[in-house]
Amino acid sequence: MNTVISKDGTAIAYDQLGNGEPVILVDGAMCSRAFGPMPELAKLLAPQFTVINYDRRGRNDSGDTQPYAPEREIEDLDALIQVAGGSAFVAGISSGAALGLSAAASGLSIKKLVLYEPPYMVDKTGPQTPPDSEAQLKALIAAGRRGDAVKFFIKDMVGVPAFFVFIMRLMPVFSKLKAVAHTLPYDAAILGDFSLPAQKAASVKVSTLVGVGEKTQPRLLKSAKQLAEIMPNSELQIFKGQTHNISMKVFAPALIEFFGK
C-alpha cells in the first residue's frame, strides 16, 4: 500500500501495479481497492498500463477529514494524478464516473476519460431516485442506522427489489457494506439532484468513452446515450449482455483499446 497526501491533509491510500502509461480507477459507492470490481480490473490492465487503484476518502485505508465536500474528492484525484507524473487516463464506474466527469470539468490533467453508467436521472417516466437522498442518508448515519442507510441506497436509490434487499441483509457481505455506509452521503453529494449536468458535460473536451450495459436499467441506458450526445469529444459503447455490474473481463479490453488509440 502507498499513500499520497491530498490538499487538505487527508492521506489517500492506493495500490500501484503494472507498467506503461498511468490509469487511475475511480470506484462507485461502497467499493474500495480491496472490495468491488477494481482489483480485478487493475490486474487485467496491468500488463499494458501502470494502474493506480485507490481508496476514495472515508473508505478502507484512506482518511476522512471533515467537513466533506465533493471538491475534496477532486483534489484527491488530482494528488494521484501528480503521483502518476502529472497526467493520467481516468476510468470511473457509477458514482465514480460522475466524480471523473466533475474532475475533468474542473480542469484536471486527464488524458482520456472512461465513464461507465454514471447514475444521472433523465427518464422521468420510470423509478426515480429521491432528490433528497443525501439528506436522508445523512440522517440515517447520524442516528447510527448504518444498515438502514445501506438498505435505502440499494432499494430506493439503486432500485433493487425489496425481497433481494432482505436476502442481502442476511449475507456476510452486508457487514462490509455497513462498514462504509458513512460514505454514501458523499456519493449522493457528488450526484447532487441526480440530473444530468449538461453544462458541465459540454465543457469537457477530453476524449471520452461513455459505456453502458445492454441489459442495464432503461433509465441508465437513456442517461448514457444523452451524456454521449452532449459531450463534444465522446463515443458511446453499449456492452452486449451487460448490466450495471459489468464483467471486468468484458470491460478491460474496451479500456485497453480506447486508451491505446
Side-chain angles (χ1 to χ4, degrees):
M1 182 188 80
N2 304 292
T3 59
V4 64
I5 304 301
S6 192
K7 186 177 181 179
D8 71 343
T10 303
I12 302 299
Y14 70 95
D15 291 329
Q16 181 174 314
L17 63 160
N19 292 285
E21 292 193 80
V23 177
I24 300 175
L25 307 180
V26 189
D27 265 313
M30 297 190 289
C31 296
S32 69
R33 68 182 226 284
F35 175 74
M38 294 310 196
E40 180 184 2
L41 180 60
K43 291 179 181 178
L44 292 170
L45 296 178
Q48 284 81 22
F49 303 98
T50 297
V51 186
I52 294 177
N53 182 25
Y54 76 105
D55 292 328
R56 285 175 53 187
R57 63 172 53 208
R59 308 181 191 189
N60 202 25
D61 292 313
S62 285
D64 193 20
T65 305
Q66 297 297 312
Y68 175 84
E71 290 77 14
R72 302 294 81 77
E73 291 219 58
I74 294 174
E75 291 167 359
D76 299 345
L77 190 50
D78 188 41
L80 291 163
I81 288 174
Q82 299 315 309
V83 165
S87 63
F89 300 131
V90 171
I93 294 176
S94 194
S95 63
L99 174 56
L101 177 62
S102 293
S106 71
L108 265 59
S109 185
I110 296 173
K111 293 190 286 187
K112 286 188 177 182
L113 182 63
V114 174
L115 308 175
Y116 187 79
E117 295 198 7
Y120 302 123
M121 299 293 105
V122 300
D123 187 350
K124 303 304 181 182
T125 61
Q128 299 298 302
T129 298
D132 63 342
S133 291
E134 182 184 357
Q136 291 198 54
L137 288 167
K138 282 183 175 179
L140 290 169
I141 297 300
R145 297 167 57 190
R146 284 175 171 258
D148 288 336
V150 175
K151 178 183 176 182
F152 173 80
F153 170 76
I154 295 172
K155 177 177 176 290
D156 297 281
M157 297 176 65
V158 177
V160 174
F163 173 76
F164 292 102
V165 177
F166 173 78
I167 296 298
M168 186 176 292
R169 296 191 73 154
L170 304 177
M171 299 172 67
V173 70
F174 199 75
S175 63
K176 293 183 178 181
L177 301 180
K178 287 196 298 182
V180 291
H182 62 285
T183 64
L184 286 172
Y186 303 173
D187 294 282
I190 287 169
L191 286 155
D193 64 358
F194 291 84
S195 62
L196 195 157
Q199 185 173 356
K200 180 187 294 184
S203 73
V204 175
K205 304 301 192 294
V206 64
S207 180
T208 302
L209 175 67
V210 179
V212 63
E214 177 193 31
K215 294 186 176 181
T216 195
Q217 296 179 37
R219 61 180 181 174
L220 294 177
L221 181 58
K222 186 173 182 179
S223 174
K225 289 179 177 178
Q226 188 168 323
L227 179 62
E229 290 174 358
I230 292 172
M231 298 186 75
N233 193 18
S234 70
E235 59 184 88
L236 176 70
Q237 183 166 347
I238 300 174
F239 290 86
K240 186 176 181 180
Q242 298 300 306
T243 65
H244 193 61
N245 297 316
I246 186 173
S247 165
M248 293 302 101
K249 291 181 180 178
V250 172
F251 196 40
L255 269 60
I256 292 169
E257 180 182 358
F258 178 68
F259 291 146
K261 290 180 180 178

